[in-house]
């Protein structure tokens, strides 16, 4: 009983304890859910019309696209390309789902059949598409996945194939959707009549123009409050994304004049030869003109950037500015040093001979296992392929009429099979080296076997034309680049500047040191390029990091050396700041104010009186149409032209605020459009214009109406 009394006495205390426990449980669950939400948001690159695009899926597509694009495309360019594809896909799929349109299995087969109808890999002996071959090909890809098979001589995985099918389906769905939209577009007779009238209805006018330039800009005051009010009145035009302003000084690692002289001195050593090195030790370097083993001398001893190849070239293949000087050398003579393509070079004419500038051949290609572009079903070894080629050559030497038959039966070069193995007239150095040497160094009628990276070729030379002098040259080239001493100096200069601007004003220090400061304004979160230094995502990321504050300075290593960068300003998403908008808004406000000044000072009601008061002339313009609202002598003035078409013949307008000035007009003649018995032709033209714009305007309209949440910056896919 005593225990129960104590419990009753402390009931309020117990209730508080239980409540706190429950509250802590709820909080813990809330934090757990918050972590989960944060984790989810970091994994969603975008949400488009309610559909999520995951980071993993997005980056996988970027990786594939980057491999296909190669080194010529930056990561940001590829990301943006995939982004555009994914946005289009999501926007259009929401339309397909709403309409219930899809690509079914039978339709998919028809699409593949149409796309591959002429591909030789899927044709039967009669040259007709064989669906069984396609099924076998797909089944094989699926069985060996993830290892690749081969399609048109290129590796392809089962995943690549399904992506190809998906792209065919996507294109077909999109075309079906556009066709549905086009089917709903017509040009009515009323629209045809209107279009005809807009083009054919004409007016002649007299007019007076008081140009805005008649009032000096300096006499029209525009305040910050005027600009602010204008921005607020035209919000849509002045909405801006979050952006950053930076400035930087670039420290370039580039060769000095001393560095260039040192490179030329090294080439002169090869030109003249030497017996001792700089320390006086014996170090014989033979003069370039006396060398016999050119490959060893150029590639190894001189360490040339341009490696030696024992190939002949015509004059047009030599460096253009120096072609005459090199081509006119005698065998054994050397030209240079000369500066070309960012390098200093020495060129020696090693040999010369007359070579046809074009040839015509036919060939049979016998591939072997491991040869480039060999089909996956090739199992014969190199030795077996050589034996096949030799046996066919023996037969052909006795009976060349069998050549087309052997091409059809044995050759794997699909590009020439349809032409009996023939490559018609083509210039020197078109084919791989071994093939080229045989066809251009042999004689017409020669027949032989040549091995290349593609297999064994049985080649017959059918023709040669226009023999002329070709030369074999060897070039020692040295890239013009900064010396180690120059690189070290650039590093010291950049480091010194970085330390000094941390204590003093950025611009002040740069001016004292005679460095150029480059201001870059309006950088967006997904931008890549910085004017002057190219692709610099690292700088853009830093500028948008929460930890980066206005005034912060950071050094970045860039391809040309270093950039010392200062974050100058942060601009939030919303309306453009008055300072940023003033350059574009100021002329517009001035124009409005000038128009009001002009209107206020004009009291005359006739063209002649206005012209006299404003010290100008009455001018004329003929055959003005609504479709092309241009006035002779004044330019494009849609509002003035529209006013003219609202007046009767002989009627005078009031003052009109045009694009280039204030106008008063009088209609002197109205010429109605010629009435037609039937406006169907005009209606058809209207319909053609509508349907012609579907493929561009429809998607743009759908995209503008879509709800797109772009998280690329947050998920760090760029």
């Amino acid at each position: 009983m005593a225990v129960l009394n104590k419990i009753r006495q402390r009931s309020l205390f117990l209730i508080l304890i239980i409540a706190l426990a429950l509250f802590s449980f709820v909080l813990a669950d809330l934090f757990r859910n918050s972590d989960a939400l944060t984790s989810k948001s970091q994994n969603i690159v975008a949400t488009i019309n309610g559909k999520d695009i995951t980071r993993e899926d997005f980056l996988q597509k970027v990786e594939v696209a980057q491999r296909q694009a190669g080194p010529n495309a930056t990561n940001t360019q590829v990301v943006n390309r995939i982004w555009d594809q994914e946005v289009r896909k999501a926007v259009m799929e929401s339309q397909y789902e709403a309409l219930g349109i899809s690509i079914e299995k039978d339709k998919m087969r028809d699409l593949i059949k149409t796309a591959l109808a002429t591909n030789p890999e899927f044709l039967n002996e009669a040259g007709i598409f064989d669906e069984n071959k396609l099924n076998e090909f797909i089944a094989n890809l699926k069985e060996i996945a993830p290892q690749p098979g081969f399609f048109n001589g290129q590796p392809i995985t089962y995943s690549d194939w399904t992506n190809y099918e998906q792209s065919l389906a996507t294109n077909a769905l999109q075309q079906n959707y556009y066709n549905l939209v086009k089917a709903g577009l017509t040009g009515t007779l009323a629209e045809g009549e209107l279009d005809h009238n807009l083009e054919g209805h004409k007016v002649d006018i007299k007019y007076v123009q008081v140009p805005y330039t008649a009032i000096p800009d300096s006499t029209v005051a525009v305040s910050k409050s005027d600009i602010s009010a204008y921005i607020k009145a035209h919000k849509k035009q002045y909405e801006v994304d979050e952006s950053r302003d930076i400035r930087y000084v670039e420290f370039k690692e580039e060769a000095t004049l001393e560095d260039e002289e040192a490179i030329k001195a090294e080439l002169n050593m090869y030109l003249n030869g030497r017996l001792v090195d700089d320390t006086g030790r014996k170090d014989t370097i033979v003069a370039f003109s006396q060398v016999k083993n050119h490959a060893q001398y150029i590639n190894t001893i001189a360490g040339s950037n341009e490696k030696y190849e024992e190939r002949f070239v015509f004059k047009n293949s030599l460096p253009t500015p120096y072609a005459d000087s090199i081509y006119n050398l005698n065998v054994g003579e050397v030209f240079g040093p000369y500066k070309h393509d960012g390098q200093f070079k020495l060129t020696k004419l090693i040999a010369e001979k007359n070579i046809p500038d074009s040839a015509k051949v036919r060939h049979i290609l016998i591939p072997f296992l491991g040869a480039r572009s060999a089909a996956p079903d090739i199992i014969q070894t190199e030795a077996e392929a050589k034996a096949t080629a030799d046996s066919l050559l023996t037969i052909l030497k006795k009976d060349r009429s069998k050549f087309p038959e052997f091409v059809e039966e044995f050759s794997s070069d699909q590009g020439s099979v349809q032409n009996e193995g023939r490559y018609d007239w083509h210039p020197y150095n078109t084919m791989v080296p071994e093939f080229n040497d045989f066809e251009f160094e042999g004689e017409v009628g020669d027949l032989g076997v040549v091995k290349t990276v593609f297999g064994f070729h049985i080649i017959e030379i059918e023709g040669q034309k226009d023999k002329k002098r070709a030369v074999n040259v060897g070039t020692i080239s040295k890239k013009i680049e900064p010396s180690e001493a120059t690189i070290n100096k650039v590093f010291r200069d950049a480091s010194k500047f970085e330390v000094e601007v941390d204590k003093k004003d950025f611009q002040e220090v740069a001016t004292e040191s005679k460095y150029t400061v480059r201001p870059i304004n309006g950088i967006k979160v997904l931008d890549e390029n910085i004017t002057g230094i190219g692709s610099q995502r690292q700088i853009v990321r830093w500028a948008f990091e929460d930890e980066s504050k206005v005034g912060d300075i950071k050094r970045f290593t860039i391809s040309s050396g270093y950039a010392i960068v200062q974050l100058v300003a942060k601009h939030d998403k919303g309306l453009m700041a008055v300072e940023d908008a003033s350059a574009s808004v100021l002329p517009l406000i001035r124009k409005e104010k000038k128009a009001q000044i002009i209107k206020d000072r004009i009291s005359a009601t006739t063209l002649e009186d206005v012209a006299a008061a404003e010290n100008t002339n009455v001018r004329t313009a003929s055959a003005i149409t609504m479709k092309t609202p241009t006035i002779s002598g004044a330019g494009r003035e849609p509002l003035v032209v529209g006013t003219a078409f609202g007046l009767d013949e002989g009627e005078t307008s009031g003052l009109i605020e045009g694009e280039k000035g204030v106008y008063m007009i009088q209609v002197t003649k109205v010429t109605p459009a010629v009435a037609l018995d039937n406006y169907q032709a005009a209606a058809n033209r209207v319909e053609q214009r509508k349907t012609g714009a579907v493929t561009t305007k429809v998607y743009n309209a759908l995209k503008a109406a879509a709800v797109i949440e772009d998280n690329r910056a947050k998920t760090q896919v760029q």
Side-chain angles (χ1 to χ4, degrees), residues 42-46 53-60 714-717:
Q42 290 176 345
N43 193 45
I44 302 300
V45 172
I53 298 176
T54 65
R55 186 174 187 272
E56 181 181 2
D57 182 56
F58 188 84
L59 289 179
Q60 187 176 31
K714 295 177 184 176
T715 51
Q716 296 181 346
V717 298

Side-chain angles (χ1 to χ4, degrees), residues 388-404:
T388 300
D390 287 342
S391 63
L392 293 178
L393 177 65
T394 300
I395 298 170
L396 288 171
K397 282 182 176 179
K398 296 176 182 177
D399 184 2
R400 297 194 184 194
S401 67
K402 290 184 176 293
F403 210 104

